[in-house]
Amino acid sequence: MEMKQCAQGGHYYDASIHQQCPYCNSGNVGATMPLDIGRTAPLDNGISHTRAFSDERPGNDDGRTVARIKEELGIDPVVGWLVCIDGKEKGRDYRIHTDNNFIGRSEKMDICIRGDDTISRENHAVVSFDARDKIYYFSPGDGRSIVRLNDKAIFATAELHAYDVIEIGQTKLIFMPLCGEAFEWV
Amino acid sequence: MWGKAKKAQASCPVKIGNIHHIGQRESQQDSFSISELSNSELCSGKGVFAVVADGMGGMEGGGTISNIVTQTMLRHFNETPEGRPAEVELLDMLIAANDNVAHYLKDNENGGSTVVAVIIRDGSLFWVAVGDSRIYLLRQGAAIQINREHTYAVELDEKAAMGEISFEDARGDSQRSALTSYIGMKTLEKIDRNLRPVRLVDGDLVLLMSDGVFGALDDDEILEAMTDVPQKSAANLQKRVLEKQNPNQDNFTAVIFEYRGGQS
């Protein structure tokens, strides 16, 4: 064995087998990258990945619950957005996908609003898109504080329409649908 | 050129081995880095440094994040002037890594990374750990895990021990393996590290690994694999992990240092 250390990543490899560091060339590893690279990674297959702590996400925790639309298109396309118009993350947008989108501070959430400590870690509220009937819904979750829709406290599921304003913790989000009469994913 | 490197490495207090394998996953989310061992001036002055990080997140570029962690910390080690205490240096580089990951995450999706890192300097071991990767010290045929993992399992087991929940509930909780602290949190919840140096003795082995290794092999199997020189021990570890033929085998990464100091 002719062990050699690569300059880039500090990896050791057998130079009698590999001409270049096999670890640096195996994908993302080893190369020094600018911090702003957005990388497209494969879809999560849900099998015991290293993950952050959070409570169960109902109906979505085994990674096998694949939305119908995702199954047909092979992708899980965006169906709308929430845009933060007031709060710690003002100006930021969050993508909504088909079926239930759980909102919380945790990494595991579909919509993670990390900056607002008054939002529960998990399932503070849910935004859903029913692809069959093309209706968007907003529901309160397990969050301690009350959630509001257009300034009204919400205790049961309510329909969402364009430009509705959701209030969670100290964050206000405006809702923008993509799918409806004018457009749908086919 | 090789002759020169060989000569320089002879003066280095450690021998090295490493493995890095994608397992059965679609992407490699682990990263690792080791300081330059052929630089005898660096080795005798600042010592040697190694880091292993296990990135989190399917669509969120876990590999990119773990790579930011290892590269930030290695760069920090290389650029920090001599004279700074190793335990402070490790903490500094950990915070730098967390800042860089936070910066990356700001404009991207969510994610995070575990990290285990060591500095061996003047015959002493210093370490820092966040998340569920492990550092083992192997001495005289025994393996000791020297870091405490930041998983929900630790909290559940403590609660069970205190009688707050039943042991059955603790064992059966589906979130046992989830992390309670990781690089990429706004504020790091927990950091595990040593403030007093661990004195190494000649022949000690220090093993850094991601959960893909210890998830596949138990401590006895790890010990059995590590009876050769580090690079061969590393190859043995890889062989044994792959022999398990787990269809969901996670990415696995390990760095082995064998301490050759002569003095304790």
Side-chain angles (χ1 to χ4, degrees):
Chain A
M1 270 199 278
E2 187 189 331
M3 298 312 295
K4 193 171 173 179
Q5 185 175 26
C6 73
Q8 206 170 24
H11 311 124
Y12 273 79
Y13 63 97
D14 190 344
S16 62
I17 299 173
H18 305 283
Q19 278 193 326
Q20 292 174 308
C21 176
Y23 307 124
C24 284
N25 295 329
S26 70
N28 55 65
V29 179
T32 308
M33 300 183 209
L35 295 178
D36 57 350
I37 279 187
R39 185 172 140 267
T40 311
L43 286 170
D44 195 336
N45 62 4
I47 304 166
S48 67
H49 287 288
T50 302
R51 66 211 163 105
F53 171 72
S54 73
D55 277 350
E56 289 292 309
R57 289 160 58 184
N60 205 13
D61 58 313
D62 65 0
R64 289 186 185 84
T65 318
V66 181
R68 190 179 58 89
I69 196 165
K70 182 173 160 187
E71 229 171 19
E72 285 168 6
L73 291 175
I75 51 169
D76 190 8
V78 65
V79 298
W81 298 267
L82 292 176
V83 180
C84 182
I85 52 166
D86 200 5
K88 289 272 172 62
E89 300 201 344
K90 187 172 177 176
R92 190 168 175 178
D93 68 308
Y94 311 88
R95 286 171 211 147
I96 300 167
H97 294 90
T98 305
D99 292 336
N100 293 331
N101 297 257
F102 295 91
I103 306 174
R105 265 191 301 127
S106 154
E107 310 291 332
K108 197 86 205 287
M109 294 293 98
D110 302 289
I111 294 172
C112 167
I113 304 172
R114 167 199 313 269
D116 187 345
D117 291 339
T118 59
I119 295 177
S120 299
R121 287 184 64 84
E122 313 90 20
N123 305 351
H124 196 126
V126 188
V127 168
S128 314
F129 175 60
D130 179 351
R132 200 181 63 190
D133 295 340
K134 312 229 168 357
I135 299 173
Y136 295 84
Y137 297 100
F138 177 62
S139 330
D142 312 323
R144 183 158 162 68
S145 64
I146 288 171
V147 292
R148 289 172 198 277
L149 178 60
N150 299 327
D151 278 338
K152 273 193 195 151
I154 292 285
F155 301 99
T157 301
E159 251 184 69
L160 270 180
H161 303 282
Y163 295 104
D164 278 350
V165 175
I166 292 169
E167 198 176 330
I168 307 172
Q170 290 172 348
T171 296
K172 279 187 183 168
L173 305 156
I174 202 160
F175 167 68
M176 281 308 303
L178 171 67
C179 298
E181 284 184 9
F183 177 83
E184 64 176 295
W185 291 105
V186 283
Chain B
M1 186 181 161
W2 171 240
K4 187 186 162 200
K6 200 173 179 180
K7 188 183 161 205
Q9 198 175 357
S11 68
C12 193
V14 297
K15 287 181 177 172
I16 182 82
N18 58 232
I19 48 166
H20 186 53
H21 197 286
I22 193 166
Q24 295 297 325
R25 297 295 165 86
E26 288 175 0
S27 64
Q28 175 60 277
Q29 304 208 330
D30 289 0
S31 295
F32 73 106
S33 274
I34 301 154
S35 65
E36 208 186 333
L37 301 187
S38 56
N39 183 340
S40 56
E41 201 180 325
L42 184 73
C43 287
S44 57
K46 295 179 62 177
V48 297
F49 165 78
V51 55
V52 169
D54 176 0
M56 280 192 290
M59 296 179 74
E60 300 91 345
T64 307
I65 296 168
S66 65
N67 193 36
I68 291 170
V69 172
T70 57
Q71 292 294 310
T72 301
M73 291 178 76
L74 178 64
R75 201 181 323 131
H76 203 284
F77 178 79
N78 288 332
E79 289 171 3
T80 303
E82 250 181 71
R84 196 152 174 78
E87 70 275 17
V88 179
E89 203 174 327
L90 281 168
L91 194 60
D92 285 349
M93 60 173 82
L94 190 76
I95 289 163
N98 199 47
D99 286 350
N100 279 352
V101 169
H103 180 82
Y104 168 81
L105 288 173
K106 204 173 174 184
D107 305 315
N108 289 276
E109 304 284 334
N110 303 309
S113 180
T114 74
V115 67
V116 284
V118 298
I119 291 177
I120 296 175
R121 181 182 294 169
D122 298 330
S124 290
L125 172 71
F126 299 87
W127 53 271
V128 69
V130 174
D132 72 347
S133 297
R134 289 186 184 173
I135 307 168
Y136 276 21
L137 177 63
L138 285 78
R139 181 178 291 177
Q140 293 167 352
I144 312 155
Q145 183 183 343
I146 58 177
N147 69 303
R148 188 180 141 108
E149 288 159 61
H150 302 131
T151 59
Y152 193 47
V154 175
E155 290 176 25
L156 286 169
D157 292 346
E158 273 173 14
K159 277 185 189 168
M162 299 293 281
E164 290 171 27
I165 56 172
S166 73
F167 282 97
E168 286 70 27
D169 285 350
R171 268 198 301 274
D173 196 295
S174 63
Q175 291 281 323
R176 276 186 73 82
S177 64
L179 302 186
T180 51
S181 186
Y182 53 93
I183 299 289
M185 291 182 121
K186 200 169 56 176
T187 314
L188 280 174
E189 295 261 350
K190 294 168 189 153
I191 298 169
D192 210 35
R193 63 192 189 117
N194 63 332
L195 295 174
R196 279 182 294 177
V198 176
R199 296 297 295 172
L200 294 175
V201 299
D202 193 44
D204 274 356
L205 297 169
V206 177
L207 167 65
L208 288 75
M209 57 185 161
S210 65
D211 61 354
V213 180
F214 62 80
L217 305 178
D218 63 29
D219 286 3
D220 287 340
E221 290 169 317
I222 289 171
L223 274 170
E224 282 166 23
M226 290 184 50
T227 49
D228 212 321
V229 294
Q231 197 60 42
K232 284 189 178 165
S233 289
N236 285 341
L237 276 177
Q238 173 161 326
K239 191 164 154 265
R240 281 175 180 252
V241 171
L242 295 177
E243 275 170 2
K244 297 276 176 182
Q245 297 188 331
N246 179 350
N248 295 327
Q249 174 61 45
D250 198 356
N251 307 150
F252 60 97
T253 302
V255 173
I256 304 169
F257 277 144
E258 181 181 350
Y259 179 66
R260 283 285 162 215
Q263 55 187 15
S264 61

